[in-house]
Amino acid sequence: MTGITRDSNLLVVLGPTASGKTRLGVELARRFNGEVISADSRQVYRGMDIGSGKDLTEYGSIPHHLIDIVEPAYEFNVFEFQRRFLDAFGDILQRGRLPVLVGGTGMYLEAVLKGYRLVEVPKDRVLRGELANLAVDALAERLRSVNPRLHNTTDLLDRERLVRAIEIAAYERNHAPEPLPEIRPLVLGIRWERSVLRQRITDRLRTRLDHGLIEEVARLHAEGIPWERLEFYGLEYRFVAKHLQGELNRNDLFQKLNSAIHDFAKRQDTWFRRMERNGTSIHWLDGTGDPLAEALGIISRERHDT
């Protein structure tokens, strides 16, 4: 049996930062002949190891995918994640192994679990030339005509977004997205009592700062990544870049970054709760107990129920 149950062909392990999801995902992959697919928006970048928390030593002999696949200057996005996930997912299943999706980037997780129908839309220079002389009101009317089910009204307020929205709507009328494979996930989530998770975040940040995080960001900048671009890669890179530019001393760097990561973990939890409200079934594991044993129990019950 390729899946862990007859009704599932994908195991998902999610959780907030510092929750221990990588360790659990790797161990489950080891026990069920699996391979890990990362759902982390920063671990795709080569050379961004400490700040993104790759923890590559945890994988051992377990194959992993979507880690270290593009250079830092590359603009990776949810469309490319979904495309690369589907390639890895199909390849792993074809070889008779279990895909194990592990991560905390909510949009990436939902692109898989909700089956976002994403289409890569190239720029249409002919259409853009046709739209160039239209006023904003005329562009808004054009958008409504090509997309009568328009929900995102913010596209009506900005000329550049209007043009892009028209371009996308026009393309999608003639180019249906490729059908998605059938994905039947069993989703596990690691949950910690808030004060315990806060301490785990603080301890991990202190360790990373002591073991090369600042030097990693300095190296990336020396290799040609602008400070402004580094800020795009998340909290660790944003705050360390400010420190290296003299805007924060070492103590302020730690205090402000630590607080920002705590807030980020809260936002991740909010995202996961919203996923549940929108129909994603998540089996929550107690991080302070034995999440591996709990996960194995859930998988065993799911096997007997199917």
Side-chain angles (χ1 to χ4, degrees):
M1 184 188 302
T2 298
I4 43 179
T5 74
R6 285 193 299 274
D7 288 337
S8 60
N9 59 3
L10 173 68
L11 181 61
V12 181
V13 179
L14 58 79
T17 186
S19 61
K21 55 188 175 290
T22 300
R23 181 170 299 174
L24 176 62
V26 167
E27 184 54 37
L28 290 171
R30 181 173 291 112
R31 291 177 181 243
F32 293 101
N33 189 34
E35 300 184 14
V36 171
I37 306 175
S38 171
D40 188 291
S41 61
R42 300 184 302 166
Q43 292 185 6
V44 297
Y45 293 107
R46 299 186 188 101
M48 298 175 60
D49 303 330
I50 301 172
S52 68
K54 286 175 186 169
D55 301 323
L56 293 176
T57 56
E58 291 194 6
Y59 290 92
S61 61
I62 300 301
H64 51 274
H65 305 262
L66 305 197
I67 296 176
D68 288 342
I69 57 174
V70 296
E71 295 301 325
Y74 188 83
E75 292 192 16
F76 200 81
N77 56 39
V78 66
F79 171 83
E80 185 154 0
F81 166 77
Q82 186 190 53
R83 180 172 59 80
R84 289 185 181 241
F85 165 82
L86 292 172
D87 288 345
F89 175 78
D91 174 60
I92 294 167
L93 285 180
Q94 190 172 37
R95 290 185 281 104
R97 306 195 68 172
L98 173 68
V100 182
L101 182 64
V102 179
T105 300
M107 187 173 292
Y108 285 14
L109 292 164
E110 284 202 308
V112 172
L113 298 176
K114 289 296 185 183
Y116 289 176
R117 304 302 295 268
L118 302 175
V119 178
E120 187 172 26
V121 180
K123 289 183 179 180
D124 185 335
R125 300 195 181 281
V126 174
L127 177 60
R128 288 187 171 221
E130 181 184 327
L131 302 174
N133 296 321
L134 295 183
V136 169
D137 289 346
L139 289 171
E141 188 58 37
R142 175 75 170 263
L143 177 58
R144 289 190 185 97
S145 72
V146 294
N147 186 8
R149 298 186 305 276
L150 181 68
H151 297 298
N152 185 9
T153 56
T154 57
D155 284 333
L156 303 176
L157 306 176
D158 177 85
R159 182 181 185 85
E160 185 175 336
R161 293 184 66 161
L162 273 167
V163 170
R164 182 58 178 163
I166 293 168
E167 192 172 52
I168 291 171
Y171 186 89
E172 289 179 342
R173 292 175 74 173
N174 300 311
H175 299 80
E178 293 184 11
L180 297 175
E182 185 180 16
I183 296 175
R184 305 183 304 278
L186 175 62
V187 185
L188 306 174
I190 304 181
R191 178 172 282 161
W192 292 81
E193 195 272 319
R194 180 156 291 175
S195 64
V196 179
L197 183 62
R198 287 175 64 89
Q199 189 59 53
R200 287 173 61 88
I201 289 171
T202 298
D203 291 343
R204 189 178 69 169
L205 175 58
R206 186 173 286 113
T207 298
R208 288 179 176 177
L209 286 169
D210 289 343
H211 290 83
L213 174 57
I214 294 174
E215 291 78 7
E216 177 174 280
V217 179
R219 173 183 54 76
L220 288 166
H221 179 64
E223 290 174 354
I225 307 300
W227 295 123
E228 298 77 14
R229 182 71 182 168
L230 282 166
E231 292 194 9
F232 168 80
Y233 295 118
L235 298 171
E236 290 86 352
Y237 296 96
R238 181 181 309 153
F239 279 85
V240 173
K242 290 182 182 298
H243 168 65
L244 289 170
Q245 294 173 86
E247 297 179 28
L248 295 172
N249 62 37
R250 175 64 182 256
N251 183 65
D252 285 345
L253 164 64
F254 177 80
Q255 297 299 334
K256 291 179 182 296
L257 177 52
N258 192 41
S259 177
I261 298 173
H262 291 163
D263 290 342
F264 173 66
K266 290 180 190 176
R267 293 195 299 275
Q268 287 180 297
D269 278 333
T270 299
W271 189 294
F272 300 145
R273 287 196 296 271
R274 186 181 62 79
M275 288 172 61
E276 289 186 288
R277 290 195 301 271
N278 291 338
T280 298
S281 175
I282 303 176
H283 300 271
W284 288 105
L285 314 173
D286 181 6
T288 58
D290 188 342
L292 175 60
E294 204 174 344
L296 294 173
I298 290 168
I299 293 169
S300 177
R301 288 196 297 275
E302 290 287 320
R303 277 182 159 169
H304 288 119
D305 289 345
T306 57

